[in-house]
Amino acid sequence: METVDVTIIGAGVVGLAVAERLSRSGRTVVVLERRRRHGTETSSRNSEVIHSGVYYPPGTLKASLCVEGREALYALCDEWHLFCRRTGKVVVACDDAEIPKLEKLLAQGRANGVEGLELIDAGFLRDLEPCVRGKAGLKVPCSGILDSEELMRHFLRKSEEQGAIFLWNAELLSAERFSRGYRLKVSGMAEPFVTGAVVNAAGLGAEAVAGMPGLNTAAAGYTLSFFKGEYFRLRKPLDIRRLVYPLPDPHGLGIHLTIDRSGGIRLGPNSTKVDVMDCDVDASHKEEFLRAASRYLPDISVEDLYPDTAGIRPKLSADGSFKDFVIQEESDRGLPNWVNLVGIESPGLTASPAIARKVADLLHYPG
Ligand SMILES: Cc1cc2nc3c(=O)[nH]c(=O)nc-3n(C[C@H](O)[C@H](O)[C@H](O)COP(=O)(O)OP(=O)(O)OC[C@H]3O[C@@H](n4cnc5c(N)ncnc54)[C@H](O)[C@@H]3O)c2cc1C
């Protein structure tokens, strides 16, 4: 293969959004994906929520790229007639002690530029969502849902129309820096091929890929821990229009209620540290889900819950402390035009178009 301008590792939603963005300019873009199709890992195993941006400390990439990505996604779905719905959501304080945390979330959301936030009391919450109970709520009108598979197919189709080449069953095995860029060794290819730039969008494999050209990932702070999140489907019909969330805990957003494209209701995800990358759902976790969800959804019982899917979060923090996305061009570590995207957990789906814009800004091409 002749030299390509940019090679993207990974065809999840982030790699696909980056491919769509970079292929607009007429440069040669190749995407290497180790699976036989796009998006089979984290990008198809999430809540499919377009997040507002209330959860992340002001000034962080998670905050700014979530807000930018959210509006970019609504505009994109509108322009290309992709499914999305601005359902809005409520974050519920289930007891009085949680109300100050709700107020903190309101202040943080406002500082992040999230529009339309409103604190509501128990009565207003009941009027808004009669099936939901709580002491108070935070109304978040700009949250919504989309169809992540449809979004990924859109990025894929546009990228291909713009000339990007996708190689499936193509795992990056090693990478070596040399004067004109990088030599990449890929499974199934007899010879390494040469690329001017690399974007590491390998999700769960991002730390391994970052280490391939010789970068010390532990010293760089790129060590990943993996946290599985399971979902249960709620088979009981409930008249709910908005997404319903408890207050977040350090490991996640809490077991929340989401509505999918066809109106089905799911509860999840929980959060468990794992070493093995299996996405089975343990049916015995029903009780945990019932306990968590019945705090704000009193009229459900264990018979209403059925195991659904699970996804795995690539986290830069194992102890629940906040860690921002890593979106780093590595010239300072001797790897010019190598961009690492590490720890792209939630809100990575929402932020995907904004991450792609940022990656395009970071790459500098000769000439
Ligand atoms: C339970 C859960 C719920 C979530 N809910 C939401 C939500 O509601 N809203 C939101 O905004 N975000 C959410 N997220 C986060 C969001 O799903 C992710 O941030 C996003 O999908 C990350 O996309 P990605 O492309 O970086 O990773 P991935 O989808 O994991 O894609 C990476 C790809 O790289 C490939 N790859 C890895 N190594 C190699 C290699 N060496 N060579 C070739 N290919 C390789 C993999 O096969 C994979 O296809 C959630 C995540 C989880 C786990």
Side-chain angles (χ1 to χ4, degrees), residues 151-282:
L151 176 69
M152 288 192 280
R153 275 205 309 268
H154 166 79
F155 284 140
L156 174 64
R157 196 178 54 242
K158 288 279 292 169
S159 306
E160 285 181 327
E161 282 169 14
Q162 290 162 182
I165 298 163
F166 287 81
L167 302 178
W168 310 112
N169 298 311
E171 180 168 11
L172 181 67
L173 301 174
S174 66
E176 184 198 346
R177 162 106 183 106
F178 79 118
S179 57
R180 285 191 294 120
Y182 299 90
R183 271 192 210 94
L184 304 183
K185 205 157 175 256
V186 180
S187 63
M189 285 187 189
E191 296 295 322
F193 76 91
V194 171
T195 182
V198 173
V199 179
N200 168 12
L204 300 173
E207 183 190 353
V209 168
M212 286 182 187
L215 187 147
N216 180 336
T217 55
Y222 296 173
T223 304
L224 287 176
S225 302
F226 302 104
F227 285 77
K228 181 169 170 178
E230 297 168 308
Y231 292 89
F232 280 76
R233 198 158 277 279
L234 194 67
R235 290 280 174 81
K236 179 178 176 153
L238 283 181
D239 179 22
I240 289 196
R241 278 147 289 169
R242 288 166 190 78
L243 314 176
V244 186
Y245 281 64
L247 276 151
D249 61 51
H251 290 286
L253 301 184
I255 291 179
H256 48 264
L257 177 154
T258 55
I259 305 165
D260 65 22
R261 180 175 187 160
S262 50
I265 293 180
R266 285 199 307 161
L267 297 173
N270 57 356
S271 186
T272 315
K273 194 168 186 300
V274 291
D275 299 318
V276 180
M277 301 293 165
D278 88 73
C279 287
D280 297 340
V281 176
D282 185 337

Side-chain angles (χ1 to χ4, degrees), residues 9-15 32-35 41-43 45-49 51 170-172 201-205 209 212 229 231 269 311-313 344-350:
I9 319 302
V13 71
V14 172
L32 303 178
E33 170 52 57
R34 65 183 170 186
R35 308 284 178 198
E41 296 197 356
T42 312
S43 295
R45 299 176 163 279
N46 55 57
S47 301
E48 300 191 298
V49 171
H51 283 300
E171 180 168 11
L172 181 67
L204 300 173
V209 168
M212 286 182 187
Y231 292 89
I312 297 174
R313 310 164 177 89
I344 310 297
E345 52 167 333
S346 191
L349 171 65
T350 309

Side-chain angles (χ1 to χ4, degrees), residues 10-31:
V13 71
V14 172
L16 291 164
V18 172
E20 192 281 317
R21 183 82 190 203
L22 297 182
S23 58
R24 287 181 199 172
S25 63
R27 294 192 167 86
T28 47
V29 174
V30 169
V31 182

Side-chain angles (χ1 to χ4, degrees), residues 45-101:
R45 299 176 163 279
N46 55 57
S47 301
E48 300 191 298
V49 171
I50 303 179
H51 283 300
S52 61
V54 295
Y55 292 116
Y56 320 105
T60 61
L61 288 174
K62 283 185 177 172
S64 62
L65 298 180
C66 181
V67 171
E68 179 187 336
R70 185 230 305 154
E71 285 315 303
L73 277 185
Y74 281 128
L76 186 151
C77 291
D78 193 39
E79 183 180 354
W80 294 98
H81 307 290
L82 309 181
F83 169 79
C84 77
R85 195 182 302 147
R86 232 181 249 258
T87 52
K89 83 171 179 186
V90 277
V91 185
V92 178
C94 297
D95 56 46
D96 288 330
E98 288 183 344
I99 294 176
K101 294 183 190 159

Side-chain angles (χ1 to χ4, degrees), residues 114-131:
V114 181
E115 328 81 55
L117 299 173
E118 193 187 340
L119 275 184
I120 58 176
D121 62 20
F124 191 172
L125 176 63
R126 204 172 176 143
D127 290 346
L128 208 62
E129 292 294 349
C131 299

